Amino acid sequence: MSKLKRISALVMALTLVLCVGYFSVMSPTSAWFYDSGVIDSGNSFVFGDVSVNTDYSLKETINFDATTKLDDPDEILFDEVINVDEVSVTNSGTVPARVYANVENKSASKGLRWFYFTDDMLLESGVKKTIEAVLPNLTDKALDEYNVGADGNSGHYILLQPGETTQVKLAMWIDYDDVASSINAGQTLDYDVEITLIASQNVDAAIER
Amino acid sequence: MTKIRLRNVLFNILAIITVIAVAFVLFNVFSGAKGYAVTSGSMAGTLNRGDVVFSRKADFDDIRPGDVVTFRSADSTGYFTHRVVSIDAQEKKITTKGDANPTEDPLPSDADQVVGKMWYSVPLLGYISILVAGMTATKALIIFASAAVVLIAVNLVIDRVKKKTDKSRGDSNE
């Protein structure tokens, strides 16, 4: 091969690498996802590439030992009386994904509150201190905005990289102001709840809960 | 002789691929088309995962129901490409739907979220971007290093074969 040809081959190879570079830095485009399929397999939720939202759903009845109140500064037993549900979530796909949560109270009784978190958010001093650190104030409105967003269709999410598994946690408790009269009437603190985790692509969009 | 012919063929193939690639890149750059790698299946049938959709800038007035449009997400962190179902000209809102989705998208997009209207698409090309995006730096380094080692090894083998051939030719000439 002549020297000119060798140089041309080198220049062409480099040009080709630049062209491949051009194609490799193209922005990804995806879509909004809201059509739900349900995966319910005990306490683990595994999803792949989410071309549509993938939901995990868990129905259970929780018996709370006692009531409490988040914004009561004198309440020191908050962490003792909350119920914490834990679900192992795995992103087995090849793109990062968000996992949103929702807890629905299926009982007639009022007063259920909840908070969505992972251990890496948890302060050593406990769940209540973690909530205080995350929320701007300890009102129901601030808690709702954190959990499901102001529009009810966004809110806190856990970002999972491809192949990553994490334990997501849902702390639930009963606000004593809401149930004082029913407890006085002898009612127990049994609540039917439905926990939903929604895997969605890592783009901002409204999601159907 | 065969070896020289093979090298010429390889050179010509490289030249053709390079010319096509450069022409394609320049065509898109000068026509104002921007490529987006399709990463999901909500437009399956029209755009499949791994395709590249090339979109060109379009004004709100140029968009019609039925057009496939690329939008910037509300927080500008990503893009999505869906078909326009209806347009609210007064509110400047666009309702979209993925061809493979059963219903319309839950929220309409604002006109200023439009980044372009689909011009054409190329199948499979987007896998380059998808593969690179899914790669960790270590993985990419290993792949490039392995490719370099393979190329060096091939070159060494070719040189050795060449030397052997030259030597045997020299021996037979003596």
Side-chain angles (χ1 to χ4, degrees), chain B residues 20-31:
Chain B
I20 292 171
V22 169
F24 185 59
V25 170
L26 292 178
F27 170 71
N28 286 308
V29 169
F30 288 110
S31 62

Side-chain angles (χ1 to χ4, degrees), chain B residues 2-167:
Chain B
T2 318
K3 203 167 139 46
I4 293 169
R5 200 175 289 161
L6 180 70
R7 281 201 170 172
N8 280 338
V9 169
L10 288 176
F11 180 85
N12 288 338
I13 290 173
L14 180 65
I16 290 166
I17 293 173
T18 307
V19 167
I20 292 171
V22 169
F24 185 59
V25 170
L26 292 178
F27 170 71
N28 286 308
V29 169
F30 288 110
S31 62
K34 198 174 171 212
Y36 301 89
V38 179
T39 59
S40 69
S42 64
M43 283 293 285
T46 307
L47 296 168
N48 297 309
R49 181 175 154 80
D51 291 358
V52 169
V53 51
F54 286 92
S55 297
R56 280 209 296 187
K57 214 171 174 185
D59 291 330
F60 178 75
D61 297 335
D62 297 333
I63 294 167
R64 302 272 177 276
D67 289 343
V68 175
V69 175
T70 300
F71 296 85
R72 194 182 300 106
S73 64
D75 66 349
S76 301
T77 56
Y79 301 93
F80 71 95
T81 304
H82 267 186
R83 193 177 296 280
V84 174
V85 175
S86 59
I87 298 168
D88 184 339
Q90 275 192 329
E91 296 287 323
K92 291 214 161 189
K93 298 263 187 193
I94 301 169
T95 303
T96 49
K97 177 182 172 299
D99 286 359
N101 283 346
T103 51
E104 291 171 0
D105 296 329
L107 291 177
S109 299
D110 292 328
D112 60 7
Q113 283 177 253
V114 174
V115 292
K117 193 156 93 173
M118 180 178 126
W119 189 23
Y120 68 98
S121 68
V122 178
L124 305 176
L125 192 61
Y127 277 111
I128 298 175
S129 168
I130 292 171
L131 286 175
V132 170
M135 257 185 219
T136 58
T138 320
K139 216 173 174 181
L141 205 65
I142 290 169
I143 289 172
F144 281 119
S146 309
V149 167
V150 169
L151 284 176
I152 291 166
V154 168
N155 206 26
L156 283 174
V157 169
I158 289 173
D159 278 352
R160 187 161 288 183
V161 170
K162 191 184 172 192
K163 272 179 194 166
K164 233 178 205 177
T165 319
D166 290 348
K167 199 182 170 193

Side-chain angles (χ1 to χ4, degrees), chain A:
Chain A
M1 197 183 263
S2 71
K3 197 177 176 185
L4 182 67
K5 252 186 174 177
R6 274 176 189 272
I7 293 168
S8 309
L10 189 71
V11 170
M12 284 192 293
L14 286 173
T15 311
L16 205 56
V17 168
L18 287 176
C19 290
V20 172
Y22 169 82
F23 296 126
S24 63
V25 296
M26 282 177 174
S27 306
T29 179
S30 54
W32 281 348
F33 308 99
Y34 49 91
D35 184 29
S36 302
V38 177
I39 297 174
D40 185 353
S41 52
N43 276 359
S44 74
F45 174 33
V46 181
F47 58 87
D49 287 343
V50 279
S51 59
V52 292
N53 272 354
T54 306
D55 288 9
Y56 160 92
S57 173
L58 174 69
K59 287 177 185 168
E60 62 179 347
T61 302
I62 303 170
N63 174 252
F64 291 91
D65 296 329
T67 58
T68 184
K69 190 156 186 71
L70 180 64
D71 61 354
D72 183 347
D74 298 326
E75 171 60 285
I76 54 168
L77 293 176
F78 183 87
D79 279 42
E80 307 296 320
V81 300
I82 59 172
N83 176 88
V84 179
D85 268 23
E86 192 173 327
V87 182
S88 167
V89 184
T90 301
N91 177 3
S92 66
T94 56
V95 289
R98 296 176 180 185
V99 178
Y100 293 87
N102 193 29
V103 175
E104 211 174 323
N105 179 7
K106 298 284 186 183
S107 312
S109 314
K110 293 192 296 180
L112 182 74
R113 307 280 191 276
W114 59 282
F115 176 73
Y116 180 44
F117 68 103
T118 47
D119 276 345
D120 57 347
M121 295 166 60
L122 196 59
L123 302 177
E124 269 184 42
S125 38
V127 175
K128 186 172 184 184
K129 291 290 176 195
T130 306
I131 299 173
E132 285 174 357
V134 168
L135 301 188
N137 53 61
L138 297 180
T139 59
D140 288 345
K141 189 176 173 234
L143 190 61
D144 281 349
E145 280 185 12
Y146 166 85
N147 283 328
V148 296
D151 58 356
N153 273 320
S154 50
H156 182 69
Y157 62 84
I158 311 292
L159 183 64
L160 280 183
Q161 296 301 323
E164 191 181 352
T165 296
T166 195
Q167 306 289 322
V168 300
K169 295 185 176 181
L170 291 141
M172 286 173 261
W173 65 95
I174 306 301
D175 188 288
Y176 57 65
D177 281 350
D178 282 1
V179 292
S181 55
S182 47
I183 286 177
N184 289 338
Q187 199 173 313
T188 58
L189 292 172
D190 286 338
Y191 281 74
D192 294 325
V193 299
E194 182 173 0
I195 295 168
T196 310
L197 297 178
I198 305 157
S200 171
Q201 282 206 346
N202 186 24
V203 289
D204 264 8
I207 54 165
E208 191 177 86
R209 289 175 186 273

